[in-house]
Amino acid sequence: MGLAIGLVGLPNVGKSTTFNALTKAQNAEAANYPFCTIEPNKAVVPVPDKRLGELAKIVNPERIQYSTLDFVDIAGLVKGASQGEGLGNKFLSNIRETEVILHIVRCFEDDNIVHTEGTIDPLRDVEIIEGELILADIEVLSNRIDRLKKQAKADKAAKAVLDFAEELIEFLADGNLARNFDKTDTDEYRQLVNEVRFLTDKEIMYGANTDEDGLLEDNEYVLSLKEHAEKNNCEIIKLCAKVEEELIGLDDEEAQEFLTDMGVTESGLEQIIHKGFDKLGLMSYFTAGVQEVRAWTIKKNSTAPRAAAAIHNDFEKGFIRAEVIAYNDYIECGGEGKAKEAGKMRLEGKEYIVADGDVMHFRFNV
């Protein structure tokens, strides 16, 4: 389940509704009671990228292939999840397999939709979810500390990691996220992350689920969540799950008109996908031919051979050179031929770091 974004949140905050809207597939049962989502729902979502459309206008390909992103809808957590309440252990395990957490937080009032805690309080809801993640991290770190204590008797390196782990567990016990620890750039921390895979080390994005009025002007709930997100260096995305569901049945032009009428420039879908793509450290380069115009997903700062491997491992093994045209040059020149005539095509070697939007062809030995 690598490079996936996991949707978490208390029951009845709009998480499964958001998932339905994001994936344009009604395969997560949105019901007005807890635990309606028992197994995590998974979906592969195309990453909207207007640049592909612009390339297609020039190339006129048979098809367009977008980059994709994996979303996992993880069932609602409750207090005590780290001790197994609400089937929590299984759900926490599912979160551990994702790379980024999208925490949907209810920021609207509706008497027809019950809240498991009885009132609307975004910061309390965040504290419940993150508290359970912290407790889960404390449990696995405590087990690791027990093993380190035995190893430390005869191993100085283990003693150094033990001391570090005991400092970190105190930090967690004070209600802090591992990602906010001031020593995350150390070898000891990296070693523990590899061994323990802390839930609270993951990137977090908050999805403030508002009503329609809240989309246009921040209500008190959104404002408090924004302040919390800023303190913790986290992204916040404002959306209305009900609006996102209404967009499902519209084509792109109708959807944009609908958003414009509401005074919104970008849907929650696009915000979540674009920011999630960035949080995962991903970017796209393009190939453009008559059969297809395609976006290839790679890690940022990838070399040309590593980028070639996204197409096929043999491309990396036999890599010779990459033919590269910057996206803007490709568009301004009106295609590969004219870009080459204008001297905008470059031959790059194994050390070249691919830029987002590069249009590329690879030369390689079979």
Side-chain angles (χ1 to χ4, degrees):
M1 200 192 296
L3 299 183
I5 296 175
L7 275 72
V8 304
L10 290 172
N12 300 337
V13 297
K15 179 176 58 63
S16 290
T17 303
T18 301
F19 180 80
N20 291 337
L22 282 170
T23 60
K24 297 188 177 181
Q26 302 297 313
N27 60 346
E29 183 186 359
N32 189 24
Y33 56 89
F35 313 128
C36 63
T37 310
I38 302 303
E39 292 298 328
N41 293 272
K42 305 173 188 177
V44 180
V45 183
V47 178
D49 195 328
K50 295 178 180 178
R51 294 174 298 180
L52 286 167
E54 295 303 310
L55 291 172
K57 289 178 183 177
I58 295 172
V59 179
N60 193 26
E62 295 177 11
R63 59 183 177 272
I64 298 175
Q65 288 282 103
Y66 293 86
S67 290
T68 60
L69 204 54
D70 292 347
F71 281 92
V72 182
D73 180 27
I74 298 168
L77 299 172
V78 292
K79 286 181 180 177
S82 57
Q83 280 77 49
E85 290 294 326
L87 305 179
N89 286 335
K90 182 174 177 59
F91 301 152
L92 289 168
S93 175
N94 289 326
I95 297 169
R96 206 176 296 280
E97 296 302 316
T98 64
E99 297 295 322
V100 172
I101 293 173
L102 173 60
H103 186 172
I104 302 298
V105 185
R106 181 168 165 179
C107 294
F108 67 92
E109 295 184 9
D110 187 334
D111 293 338
N112 296 316
I113 303 176
V114 298
H115 192 295
T116 55
E117 297 298 314
T119 58
I120 309 303
D121 186 341
L123 297 189
R124 177 206 57 211
D125 293 356
V126 166
E127 185 177 340
I128 290 173
I129 294 293
E130 293 183 354
E132 294 304 321
L133 301 184
I134 290 169
L135 288 172
D137 280 349
I138 289 174
E139 181 180 357
V140 293
L141 183 55
S142 179
N143 292 336
R144 184 71 186 106
I145 286 174
D146 289 341
R147 294 194 297 273
L148 283 168
K149 285 179 177 178
K150 297 176 183 177
Q151 297 170 14
K153 294 176 182 178
D155 186 342
K156 289 184 179 180
K159 177 64 166 65
V161 177
L162 171 61
D163 292 342
F164 187 90
E166 289 179 331
E167 185 179 352
L168 176 56
I169 203 168
E170 288 184 15
F171 182 78
L172 293 171
D174 287 336
N176 299 302
L177 306 177
R179 66 192 300 270
N180 292 332
F181 194 46
D182 61 1
K183 298 179 181 178
T184 55
D185 60 347
T186 61
D187 291 338
E188 291 84 358
Y189 185 81
R190 283 186 285 269
Q191 179 179 332
L192 286 172
V193 167
N194 289 335
E195 294 171 351
V196 176
R197 295 163 66 204
F198 295 114
L199 296 174
T200 62
D201 179 65
K202 299 179 184 297
E203 290 280 358
I204 297 175
M205 300 189 299
Y206 296 111
N209 184 19
T210 75
D211 53 20
E212 292 187 23
D213 291 338
L215 278 181
L216 300 178
E217 185 174 351
D218 292 347
N219 59 35
E220 60 180 304
Y221 304 127
V222 173
L223 289 172
S224 64
L225 186 60
K226 278 187 172 181
E227 184 178 351
H228 175 81
E230 186 174 341
K231 286 180 181 177
N232 287 279
N233 195 29
C234 296
E235 293 276 3
I236 183 169
I237 298 162
K238 192 165 62 170
L239 70 150
C240 175
K242 289 177 65 176
V243 168
E244 297 297 327
E245 276 200 315
E246 291 182 41
L247 293 173
I248 290 173
L250 305 179
D251 61 32
D252 291 345
E253 188 174 329
E254 290 173 330
Q256 191 57 57
E257 184 177 344
F258 183 90
L259 291 171
T260 300
D261 288 344
M262 289 191 63
V264 179
T265 57
E266 190 176 35
S267 72
L269 162 67
E270 291 176 322
Q271 293 181 65
I272 288 170
I273 292 176
H274 289 150
K275 290 186 178 181
F277 204 66
D278 183 63
K279 285 293 183 185
L280 287 168
L282 302 176
M283 68 178 202
S284 300
Y285 75 87
F286 306 125
T287 53
V290 292
Q291 288 189 327
E292 69 175 14
V293 165
R294 180 164 183 164
W296 299 90
T297 303
I298 58 173
K299 281 283 191 180
K300 292 177 182 177
N301 298 315
S302 291
T303 61
R306 287 300 303 152
I311 300 176
H312 198 287
N313 287 336
D314 287 347
F315 282 30
E316 180 180 19
K317 294 175 183 177
F319 180 89
I320 301 173
R321 288 281 187 276
E323 298 176 358
V324 183
I325 304 172
Y327 170 78
N328 287 337
D329 290 337
Y330 194 101
I331 298 300
E332 289 173 8
C333 293
E336 180 180 320
K338 292 181 180 178
K340 190 172 182 179
E341 290 175 7
K344 298 297 184 180
M345 177 184 284
R346 311 185 309 273
L347 287 179
E348 300 287 359
K350 292 183 178 181
E351 303 303 317
Y352 176 67
I353 303 298
V354 178
D356 183 48
D358 276 349
V359 183
M360 305 181 74
H361 291 294
F362 297 102
R363 299 180 184 180
F364 64 98
N365 288 318
V366 179

